[in-house]
Amino acid sequence: RKEVEQDPGPFNVPEGATVAFNCTYSNSASQSFFWYRQDCRKEPKLLMSVYSSGNEDGRFTAQLNRASQYISLLIRDSKLSDSATYLCVVNFGNEKLTFGTGTRLTIIP
Amino acid sequence: NAGVTQTPKFQVLKTGQSMTLQCAQDMNHNSMYWYRQDPGMGLRLIYYSASEGTTDKGEVPNGYNVSRLNKREFSLRLESAAPSQTSVYFCASRTGGGGKLFFGSGTQLSVL
């Protein structure tokens, strides 16, 4: 089993809709969690960190469920510019940052 | 500000050739990373260095070696390239303790 797993998609969502992704991780001792966004043929960029109490940044909401060992990303009122691949990242401790395989999102006009 | 500088951007090798990918960061970061990205596979960790003088294996270290030359530089070496190492390679760094990853722009490597 991979240490960090995501549904690869693709998710094809109409503009304005709400979409959510989950990411599961294998190690209950994992220390910190992030969502990154990657556009085609570019380097990944930090979208947001994920905090234990959940956190929001504009249209984006991240949640952490330590008991079930998953993190989630919710995007509200989706825009065409949200089309990208979304990658979850888990710090398993000692600075070992592991990426999920990514979820590809396409927003349809 | 340069951030993370990765060279070369493109490289074509023949099977069995060797090469070194260079990475340097000017942000005084403690941690540095090498990832490879293949279609449908996400980014897979090859090696990482949590601090100057230390290196550790990631998910896919076989066929690679690394050197943390100093705090700024972290190189990745392919001693005998194989077609399975055709990939896009990303170097990254961060401060450690929760800071975000800063990435280089990637190296597209093809092994024929």
Side-chain angles (χ1 to χ4, degrees):
Chain A
R1 183 188 170 193
K2 287 182 67 67
E3 292 181 299
V4 181
E5 294 197 79
Q6 292 182 251
D7 182 343
F11 284 64
N12 299 315
V13 174
E15 192 174 7
T18 296
V19 61
F21 314 129
N22 281 345
C23 169
T24 59
Y25 59 94
S26 61
N27 187 340
S28 60
S30 301
Q31 296 182 351
S32 53
F33 309 86
F34 309 89
W35 283 103
Y36 276 71
R37 170 195 169 125
Q38 186 177 27
D39 294 295
C40 189
R41 299 184 182 277
K42 297 288 185 68
E43 70 273 21
K45 294 186 177 177
L46 179 68
L47 180 65
M48 58 197 302
S49 301
V50 185
Y51 302 120
S52 297
S53 56
N55 49 298
E56 191 173 303
D57 183 2
R59 298 181 293 107
F60 298 85
T61 301
Q63 299 274 0
L64 167 63
N65 186 319
R66 283 195 181 271
S68 300
Q69 295 182 202
Y70 74 87
I71 63 173
S72 63
L73 177 68
L74 180 79
I75 306 174
R76 289 182 300 278
D77 187 24
S78 53
K79 313 291 186 190
L80 295 177
S81 58
D82 293 334
S83 296
T85 296
Y86 291 83
L87 301 154
C88 65
V89 183
V90 178
N91 181 358
F92 287 105
N94 196 29
E95 290 300 297
K96 183 182 178 185
L97 292 173
T98 300
F99 281 73
T101 52
T103 297
R104 187 170 174 184
L105 173 65
T106 301
I107 305 301
I108 303 166
Chain B
N1 293 334
V4 179
T5 303
Q6 194 179 330
T7 57
K9 292 190 182 301
F10 301 95
Q11 184 72 50
V12 179
L13 294 176
K14 294 181 180 178
T15 298
Q17 286 185 316
S18 62
M19 78 160 296
T20 300
L21 279 65
Q22 307 287 354
C23 177
Q25 50 88 12
D26 61 3
M27 296 171 282
N28 202 35
H29 285 169
N30 291 319
S31 302
M32 297 187 74
Y33 303 81
W34 277 106
Y35 292 92
R36 62 177 286 176
Q37 187 170 32
D38 304 294
M41 299 293 288
L43 277 79
R44 291 185 291 170
L45 182 61
I46 304 171
Y47 272 94
Y48 66 106
S49 170
S51 61
E52 185 179 356
T54 68
T55 61
D56 287 284
K57 294 179 180 180
E59 301 172 75
V60 288
N62 291 344
Y64 305 95
N65 287 302
V66 290
S67 296
R68 184 75 183 266
L69 304 169
N70 46 55
K71 194 169 187 179
R72 290 188 65 247
E73 298 172 287
F74 188 41
S75 62
L76 178 72
R77 183 159 178 84
L78 287 70
E79 289 290 351
S80 178
S84 61
Q85 294 178 305
T86 294
S87 189
V88 178
Y89 291 84
F90 287 103
C91 176
S93 70
R94 76 173 197 158
T95 56
K100 77 174 191 178
L101 279 169
F102 289 78
F103 281 88
S105 57
T107 296
Q108 180 122 26
L109 175 67
S110 295
V111 183
L112 306 177

